[in-house]
């Protein structure tokens, strides 16, 4: 099983090296099931990332595991909607159906 996790880490590092070479992120956040395997997965992914990155600034990119759990995406989406309504309560009126004239 550890060999399979190591191989997934290498593939994760390969894919992330492409992202790092294109966009130069400072951090790549791993979440969900990958976050629970971070202890074994991320060393292999980080090694592969460092080996395959081309640009020197992209070499500063690192992996971190999210601690927010599986509901983080839905909570984040909900908070964006709530913040938009708090910022401008009239925006909710734009999405309501308008009565039709007879």
């Amino acid at each position: 099983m550890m060999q399979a996790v190591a191989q997934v880490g290498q593939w994760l590092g390969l894919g992330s090296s492409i992202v790092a070479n294109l966009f130069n992120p400072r951090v790549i956040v791993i979440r969900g099931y990958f976050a629970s395997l971070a202890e074994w997965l991320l060393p292999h992914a980080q090694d592969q990332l460092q080996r395959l990155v081309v640009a020197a600034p992209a070499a500063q990119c690192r992996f971190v595991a999210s601690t927010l759990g599986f509901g983080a995406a839905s909570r984040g989406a909900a908070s964006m909607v709530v913040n938009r309504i708090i910022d401008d309560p009239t925006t909710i009126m734009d999405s309501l159906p308008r009565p039709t004239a007879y």
Side-chain angles (χ1 to χ4, degrees), residues 96-102:
L96 295 176
R98 303 278 185 212
T100 57
Y102 291 100

Side-chain angles (χ1 to χ4, degrees), residues 7 17-18 22 81 92:
Q7 188 175 15
S17 71
I18 296 168
L22 290 173
V81 172
I92 196 167

Side-chain angles (χ1 to χ4, degrees), residues 69-81:
F70 288 99
S74 58
R75 285 193 305 269
S79 72
M80 289 182 64
V81 172

